[in-house]
Coordinates of all heavy atoms in Angstrom, one line a residue:
M75 N -54.5 5.9 -58.4 CA -54.4 4.7 -57.6 C -55.4 3.7 -58.1 O -56.5 3.9 -58.5 CB -54.7 5.1 -56.2 CG -54.5 3.8 -55.2 SD -54.9 4.3 -53.4 CE -53.4 5.4 -53.2
K76 N -54.9 2.4 -58.1 CA -55.8 1.4 -58.6 C -56.6 0.8 -57.4 O -56.1 0.7 -56.3 CB -54.9 0.1 -59.1 CG -55.6 -1.0 -59.7 CD -54.7 -2.0 -60.3 CE -55.5 -3.1 -60.9 NZ -54.7 -4.2 -61.4
L77 N -57.8 0.4 -57.8 CA -58.8 0.0 -56.7 C -58.4 -1.4 -56.3 O -58.1 -2.3 -57.1 CB -60.2 0.0 -57.3 CG -61.3 -0.1 -56.3 CD1 -61.4 1.1 -55.5 CD2 -62.7 -0.4 -57.1
N78 N -58.3 -1.5 -54.9 CA -57.9 -2.9 -54.3 C -59.2 -3.5 -53.7 O -59.7 -3.0 -52.8 CB -56.9 -2.6 -53.2 CG -56.4 -3.9 -52.6 OD1 -57.1 -4.9 -52.6 ND2 -55.2 -3.8 -51.9
P79 N -59.7 -4.5 -54.3 CA -61.0 -5.1 -53.8 C -60.8 -5.7 -52.5 O -61.8 -5.7 -51.7 CB -61.2 -6.3 -54.8 CG -60.1 -6.3 -55.8 CD -59.2 -5.2 -55.5
D80 N -59.6 -6.1 -52.0 CA -59.5 -6.6 -50.7 C -59.6 -5.5 -49.7 O -60.2 -5.6 -48.6 CB -58.1 -7.2 -50.5 CG -58.0 -8.6 -51.3 OD1 -59.1 -9.2 -51.4 OD2 -56.9 -8.9 -51.6
C81 N -59.1 -4.3 -50.0 CA -59.3 -3.2 -49.1 C -60.7 -2.7 -49.0 O -61.2 -2.4 -48.0 CB -58.4 -2.0 -49.7 SG -58.4 -0.5 -48.6
I82 N -61.4 -2.6 -50.1 CA -62.8 -2.3 -50.2 C -63.6 -3.3 -49.3 O -64.5 -2.9 -48.4 CB -63.5 -2.3 -51.5 CG1 -62.9 -1.1 -52.4 CG2 -65.0 -2.4 -51.7 CD1 -63.6 0.1 -52.0
R83 N -63.3 -4.6 -49.5 CA -64.1 -5.6 -48.7 C -63.8 -5.4 -47.2 O -64.7 -5.4 -46.4 CB -63.6 -7.0 -49.2 CG -64.3 -8.1 -48.3 CD -63.8 -9.5 -48.8 NE -62.4 -9.6 -48.7 CZ -61.6 -9.9 -47.6 NH1 -62.3 -10.2 -46.5 NH2 -60.4 -10.0 -47.6
D84 N -62.5 -5.2 -46.8 CA -62.1 -5.0 -45.4 C -62.7 -3.8 -44.8 O -63.2 -3.7 -43.7 CB -60.6 -5.0 -45.3 CG -60.0 -6.3 -45.5 OD1 -60.7 -7.4 -45.5 OD2 -58.7 -6.4 -45.6
L85 N -62.8 -2.8 -45.6 CA -63.4 -1.5 -45.2 C -64.9 -1.7 -45.0 O -65.4 -1.2 -43.9 CB -63.2 -0.4 -46.3 CG -63.8 1.0 -46.1 CD1 -63.3 1.6 -44.9 CD2 -63.8 1.8 -47.3
L86 N -65.7 -2.3 -45.8 CA -67.0 -2.5 -45.7 C -67.4 -3.4 -44.4 O -68.2 -3.2 -43.7 CB -67.6 -3.0 -47.0 CG -67.6 -2.1 -48.2 CD1 -68.2 -2.8 -49.4 CD2 -68.4 -0.8 -47.9
L87 N -66.5 -4.4 -44.3 CA -66.7 -5.3 -43.1 C -66.4 -4.5 -41.8 O -67.1 -4.8 -40.8 CB -65.8 -6.5 -43.3 CG -66.2 -7.5 -44.3 CD1 -65.1 -8.6 -44.4 CD2 -67.5 -8.2 -44.0
D88 N -65.4 -3.7 -41.8 CA -65.1 -2.9 -40.7 C -66.2 -1.9 -40.3 O -66.6 -1.8 -39.2 CB -63.7 -2.2 -40.9 CG -63.3 -1.5 -39.7 OD1 -63.0 -2.2 -38.6 OD2 -62.9 -0.3 -39.7
V89 N -66.8 -1.3 -41.3 CA -67.8 -0.3 -41.2 C -69.1 -1.1 -40.6 O -69.7 -0.6 -39.6 CB -68.2 0.4 -42.3 CG1 -69.5 1.2 -42.3 CG2 -67.1 1.4 -42.7
E90 N -69.4 -2.2 -41.1 CA -70.5 -3.0 -40.7 C -70.3 -3.4 -39.2 O -71.3 -3.4 -38.5 CB -70.7 -4.2 -41.5 CG -71.8 -5.1 -41.1 CD -71.9 -6.4 -42.0 OE1 -70.9 -7.0 -42.3 OE2 -73.0 -6.8 -42.3
A91 N -69.1 -3.8 -38.8 CA -68.9 -4.3 -37.5 C -69.0 -3.1 -36.5 O -69.3 -3.3 -35.3 CB -67.5 -4.9 -37.4
K92 N -68.6 -1.9 -36.8 CA -68.5 -0.8 -36.0 C -69.8 0.1 -35.9 O -70.0 0.9 -35.0 CB -67.3 0.2 -36.3 CG -66.0 -0.5 -36.1 CD -64.9 0.3 -36.5 CE -63.5 -0.2 -36.2 NZ -62.4 0.7 -36.7
S93 N -70.6 0.0 -36.9 CA -71.8 0.9 -37.1 C -73.0 0.4 -36.5 O -73.2 -0.8 -36.5 CB -71.9 1.4 -38.5 OG -72.4 0.3 -39.3
T94 N -73.9 1.2 -36.1 CA -75.3 0.8 -35.7 C -76.1 1.9 -36.3 O -75.7 2.9 -37.0 CB -75.4 0.9 -34.2 OG1 -75.3 2.2 -33.7 CG2 -74.4 -0.1 -33.5
F95 N -77.5 1.8 -36.1 CA -78.4 2.8 -36.5 C -78.1 4.1 -35.9 O -78.4 5.2 -36.4 CB -79.8 2.3 -36.3 CG -80.3 1.3 -37.2 CD1 -80.5 0.1 -36.7 CD2 -80.4 1.5 -38.6 CE1 -80.8 -1.0 -37.6 CE2 -80.8 0.5 -39.5 CZ -81.0 -0.8 -38.9
D96 N -77.6 4.2 -34.6 CA -77.3 5.4 -33.9 C -75.9 5.9 -33.9 O -75.6 6.9 -33.4 CB -77.8 5.2 -32.5 CG -79.3 4.9 -32.4 OD1 -80.1 5.4 -33.1 OD2 -79.6 4.2 -31.5
N97 N -75.1 5.2 -34.6 CA -73.6 5.4 -34.5 C -73.0 5.3 -36.0 O -73.2 4.3 -36.7 CB -73.0 4.3 -33.7 CG -71.4 4.5 -33.6 OD1 -71.0 5.6 -33.4 ND2 -70.7 3.4 -33.6
V98 N -72.4 6.4 -36.4 CA -71.7 6.4 -37.6 C -70.1 6.1 -37.3 O -69.7 6.3 -36.2 CB -71.8 7.7 -38.4 CG1 -73.2 8.0 -38.8 CG2 -71.2 8.9 -37.5
V99 N -69.4 5.7 -38.4 CA -68.1 5.4 -38.3 C -67.3 6.6 -38.9 O -67.6 6.9 -40.0 CB -67.7 4.0 -39.0 CG1 -66.2 3.8 -38.9 CG2 -68.5 2.9 -38.3
I100 N -66.4 7.0 -38.1 CA -65.5 8.1 -38.6 C -64.0 7.7 -38.6 O -63.6 7.3 -37.6 CB -65.7 9.4 -37.8 CG1 -67.1 9.9 -37.9 CG2 -64.7 10.5 -38.2 CD1 -67.5 11.0 -37.0
Y101 N -63.4 7.8 -39.7 CA -62.0 7.4 -39.7 C -61.2 8.7 -39.6 O -61.4 9.7 -40.3 CB -61.6 6.7 -41.0 CG -62.2 5.3 -41.0 CD1 -63.4 5.0 -41.6 CD2 -61.5 4.2 -40.5 CE1 -64.0 3.7 -41.6 CE2 -62.0 2.9 -40.5 CZ -63.2 2.7 -41.1 OH -63.8 1.4 -41.0
S102 N -60.1 8.6 -38.8 CA -59.3 9.8 -38.6 C -57.8 9.4 -38.6 O -57.5 8.3 -38.1 CB -59.6 10.5 -37.3 OG -58.7 11.5 -37.1
E103 N -56.9 10.2 -39.1 CA -55.6 9.9 -39.2 C -55.0 9.7 -37.8 O -54.0 9.1 -37.6 CB -54.8 10.9 -39.9 CG -55.1 10.9 -41.5 CD -54.2 11.8 -42.3 OE1 -53.0 11.8 -42.1 OE2 -54.8 12.5 -43.1
E104 N -55.6 10.3 -36.8 CA -55.1 10.4 -35.5 C -55.4 9.1 -34.8 O -54.8 8.7 -33.8 CB -55.6 11.6 -34.7 CG -55.1 12.9 -35.0 CD -55.8 13.5 -36.3 OE1 -57.0 13.2 -36.6 OE2 -55.1 14.1 -37.0
K105 N -56.4 8.3 -35.2 CA -56.7 7.1 -34.6 C -55.8 5.9 -35.2 O -55.4 6.0 -36.2 CB -58.2 6.7 -34.9 CG -59.2 7.5 -34.3 CD -60.6 7.1 -34.7 CE -61.7 7.8 -34.1 NZ -63.0 7.3 -34.5
D106 N -55.7 4.9 -34.2 CA -54.9 3.8 -34.6 C -55.9 2.8 -35.2 O -56.4 2.0 -34.4 CB -54.1 3.3 -33.4 CG -53.2 2.1 -33.8 OD1 -52.8 2.0 -34.9 OD2 -53.0 1.2 -33.0
E107 N -56.0 2.7 -36.5 CA -56.9 1.8 -37.2 C -56.1 0.6 -37.8 O -55.1 0.9 -38.5 CB -57.6 2.5 -38.2 CG -58.6 3.6 -37.8 CD -59.9 3.0 -37.1 OE1 -60.2 1.8 -37.3 OE2 -60.6 3.8 -36.5
P108 N -56.6 -0.5 -37.6 CA -55.9 -1.7 -38.2 C -55.9 -1.6 -39.8 O -54.9 -2.0 -40.3 CB -56.8 -2.9 -37.8 CG -57.4 -2.4 -36.5 CD -57.7 -1.0 -36.7
L109 N -56.9 -1.0 -40.3 CA -56.9 -0.9 -41.8 C -55.7 0.1 -42.2 O -55.1 -0.1 -43.3 CB -58.2 -0.3 -42.2 CG -59.4 -1.2 -42.3 CD1 -60.6 -0.4 -42.7 CD2 -59.2 -2.3 -43.1
F110 N -55.4 1.1 -41.4 CA -54.3 2.0 -41.8 C -53.0 1.2 -41.7 O -52.1 1.5 -42.5 CB -54.2 3.1 -40.8 CG -55.4 4.1 -40.9 CD1 -55.6 5.0 -39.8 CD2 -56.2 4.1 -41.9 CE1 -56.7 5.9 -39.9 CE2 -57.3 5.0 -42.1 CZ -57.5 5.9 -41.0
N111 N -52.9 0.3 -40.7 CA -51.7 -0.5 -40.6 C -51.4 -1.5 -41.7 O -50.4 -1.8 -42.2 CB -51.7 -1.2 -39.3 CG -51.6 -0.3 -38.1 OD1 -51.1 0.9 -38.2 ND2 -52.1 -0.7 -37.0
K112 N -52.6 -1.9 -42.2 CA -52.6 -3.0 -43.3 C -52.4 -2.3 -44.7 O -51.7 -2.9 -45.4 CB -53.9 -3.8 -43.2 CG -54.0 -5.0 -44.2 CD -55.2 -5.8 -44.0 CE -55.2 -7.0 -44.9 NZ -56.3 -7.9 -44.6
Y113 N -53.1 -1.3 -44.9 CA -53.1 -0.7 -46.3 C -52.5 0.7 -46.4 O -52.1 1.1 -47.5 CB -54.6 -0.6 -46.8 CG -55.2 -1.9 -47.0 CD1 -56.2 -2.3 -46.1 CD2 -54.9 -2.8 -48.0 CE1 -56.8 -3.6 -46.2 CE2 -55.6 -4.0 -48.1 CZ -56.5 -4.4 -47.2 OH -57.1 -5.6 -47.4
G114 N -52.3 1.4 -45.3 CA -51.8 2.7 -45.3 C -53.0 3.7 -45.3 O -54.0 3.4 -45.8
V115 N -52.7 4.9 -44.8 CA -53.8 5.9 -44.5 C -54.3 6.4 -45.9 O -55.5 6.5 -46.1 CB -53.2 7.1 -43.7 CG1 -54.2 8.2 -43.7 CG2 -52.9 6.6 -42.3
D116 N -53.4 6.7 -46.8 CA -53.8 7.3 -48.1 C -54.7 6.3 -48.9 O -55.7 6.6 -49.5 CB -52.6 7.7 -48.9 CG -51.9 8.9 -48.4 OD1 -52.5 9.7 -47.6 OD2 -50.7 9.1 -48.7
T117 N -54.3 5.1 -48.9 CA -55.0 4.0 -49.6 C -56.5 3.8 -49.0 O -57.4 3.7 -49.7 CB -54.3 2.7 -49.6 OG1 -53.0 2.9 -50.2 CG2 -55.0 1.6 -50.2
V118 N -56.5 3.8 -47.7 CA -57.8 3.6 -47.0 C -58.8 4.8 -47.3 O -59.9 4.6 -47.7 CB -57.7 3.5 -45.5 CG1 -59.0 3.5 -44.8 CG2 -57.0 2.2 -45.2
F119 N -58.2 6.1 -47.2 CA -59.1 7.2 -47.6 C -59.5 7.2 -49.0 O -60.5 7.6 -49.4 CB -58.4 8.5 -47.1 CG -58.5 8.8 -45.7 CD1 -57.4 8.9 -44.9 CD2 -59.7 8.8 -45.0 CE1 -57.4 9.1 -43.5 CE2 -59.8 9.1 -43.8 CZ -58.7 9.2 -42.9
Y120 N -58.6 6.8 -49.9 CA -58.9 6.7 -51.4 C -60.1 5.7 -51.5 O -61.2 6.0 -52.2 CB -57.7 6.2 -52.1 CG -58.0 5.8 -53.6 CD1 -58.3 6.8 -54.6 CD2 -58.2 4.5 -54.0 CE1 -58.6 6.5 -55.8 CE2 -58.5 4.2 -55.3 CZ -58.8 5.1 -56.2 OH -59.0 4.8 -57.5
H121 N -60.1 4.6 -50.9 CA -61.1 3.6 -51.0 C -62.4 4.0 -50.3 O -63.5 3.6 -50.8 CB -60.6 2.2 -50.5 CG -59.6 1.6 -51.5 ND1 -58.3 1.9 -51.5 CD2 -59.9 0.6 -52.4 CE1 -57.7 1.2 -52.5 NE2 -58.6 0.4 -53.0
I122 N -62.3 4.7 -49.2 CA -63.5 5.4 -48.7 C -64.2 6.3 -49.6 O -65.4 6.2 -49.9 CB -63.1 6.1 -47.4 CG1 -62.8 5.2 -46.2 CG2 -64.4 7.1 -46.9 CD1 -62.2 5.8 -45.0
R123 N -63.4 7.1 -50.4 CA -64.0 8.0 -51.4 C -64.6 7.2 -52.5 O -65.7 7.6 -53.0 CB -62.9 9.0 -51.9 CG -62.5 10.1 -51.0 CD -61.7 11.2 -51.6 NE -60.5 10.7 -52.2 CZ -59.4 10.5 -51.4 NH1 -59.3 10.8 -50.2 NH2 -58.3 10.0 -52.0
Q124 N -64.0 6.2 -52.9 CA -64.5 5.4 -54.0 C -65.8 4.7 -53.6 O -66.8 4.6 -54.4 CB -63.5 4.4 -54.5 CG -62.3 5.0 -55.1 CD -62.6 5.9 -56.3 OE1 -63.4 5.5 -57.2 NE2 -62.0 7.0 -56.3
A125 N -65.8 4.1 -52.4 CA -67.1 3.4 -51.8 C -68.1 4.4 -51.7 O -69.2 4.2 -52.0 CB -66.7 2.7 -50.5
D126 N -67.8 5.6 -51.3 CA -68.9 6.7 -51.1 C -69.4 7.1 -52.5 O -70.6 7.3 -52.7 CB -68.3 7.9 -50.4 CG -69.4 8.9 -50.1 OD1 -70.4 8.5 -49.5 OD2 -69.1 10.1 -50.3
T127 N -68.5 7.2 -53.5 CA -68.9 7.6 -54.8 C -69.9 6.6 -55.4 O -70.9 7.0 -56.1 CB -67.7 7.7 -55.8 OG1 -66.9 8.7 -55.2 CG2 -68.1 8.0 -57.2
Q128 N -69.8 5.3 -55.0 CA -70.7 4.3 -55.5 C -71.8 4.0 -54.6 O -72.5 3.0 -54.7 CB -69.9 3.0 -55.8 CG -68.8 3.2 -56.9 CD -69.3 3.6 -58.2 OE1 -70.3 3.1 -58.6 NE2 -68.7 4.6 -58.8
D129 N -72.0 4.9 -53.6 CA -73.1 4.8 -52.6 C -73.1 3.5 -51.7 O -74.1 3.0 -51.3 CB -74.5 4.9 -53.3 CG -74.7 6.3 -53.8 OD1 -74.2 7.3 -53.3 OD2 -75.5 6.4 -54.9
F130 N -71.9 3.1 -51.6 CA -71.7 1.8 -50.7 C -71.8 2.3 -49.2 O -72.1 1.5 -48.2 CB -70.4 1.1 -50.9 CG -70.3 0.4 -52.1 CD1 -69.1 0.2 -52.7 CD2 -71.4 -0.2 -52.7 CE1 -68.9 -0.5 -53.9 CE2 -71.3 -0.9 -53.9 CZ -70.1 -1.1 -54.4
L131 N -71.4 3.6 -49.0 CA -71.5 4.2 -47.6 C -72.5 5.3 -47.7 O -72.3 6.4 -48.3 CB -70.1 4.8 -47.3 CG -68.9 3.9 -47.4 CD1 -67.6 4.6 -47.2 CD2 -69.0 2.7 -46.4
L132 N -73.6 5.1 -47.0 CA -74.7 6.1 -47.1 C -74.8 6.7 -45.7 O -74.9 6.0 -44.7 CB -76.0 5.4 -47.5 CG -76.0 4.9 -48.9 CD1 -77.3 4.3 -49.2 CD2 -75.8 6.0 -49.9
E133 N -75.1 8.0 -45.6 CA -75.3 8.7 -44.4 C -76.7 9.4 -44.6 O -76.7 10.2 -45.5 CB -74.2 9.6 -44.0 CG -74.5 10.3 -42.7 CD -73.4 11.3 -42.3 OE1 -72.3 11.1 -42.7 OE2 -73.6 12.2 -41.6
K134 N -77.6 9.0 -43.9 CA -79.0 9.7 -44.1 C -79.4 10.2 -42.8 O -79.2 9.7 -41.8 CB -80.0 8.6 -44.7 CG -79.5 8.3 -46.1 CD -80.6 7.4 -46.8 CE -80.1 7.1 -48.1 NZ -81.1 6.7 -49.1

C-alpha cells in the first residue's frame, strides 16, 4: 500500500484532539470512526502501523 500523507496528517490530528496525558487513543473496527469512513479501516490501520514505526505515536 502506498503511504497517503493526507491520511497520516488526519490521523495525527485526530490522535492529538482525542488524547491527553492520562488518556490513550485506541482505534477499533467496532467503533464508528470518521477516519474509517473517509479512508477505510485497512488504510487507517496501515497508516497507524507506519506512524508507529517512525515513532510518531509513542506510548510510554
Side-chain angles (χ1 to χ4, degrees):
M75 182 177 294
K76 186 175 178 181
L77 197 65
N78 180 339
D80 292 329
C81 184
I82 288 283
R83 180 183 55 86
D84 289 345
L85 174 65
L86 293 176
L87 289 172
D88 192 52
V89 169
E90 180 182 38
K92 292 179 179 177
S93 67
T94 65
F95 288 110
D96 299 325
N97 179 41
V98 296
V99 178
I100 298 174
Y101 289 93
S102 171
E103 291 184 48
E104 288 80 34
K105 290 184 179 177
D106 182 30
E107 293 286 345
L109 286 176
F110 294 163
N111 297 331
K112 186 172 182 179
Y113 296 106
V115 173
D116 291 337
T117 300
V118 171
F119 282 121
Y120 169 79
H121 285 79
I122 289 171
R123 283 192 301 276
Q124 295 303 314
D126 186 51
T127 300
Q128 298 302 313
D129 292 332
F130 290 151
L131 307 173
L132 297 175
E133 182 179 336
K134 294 188 179 198

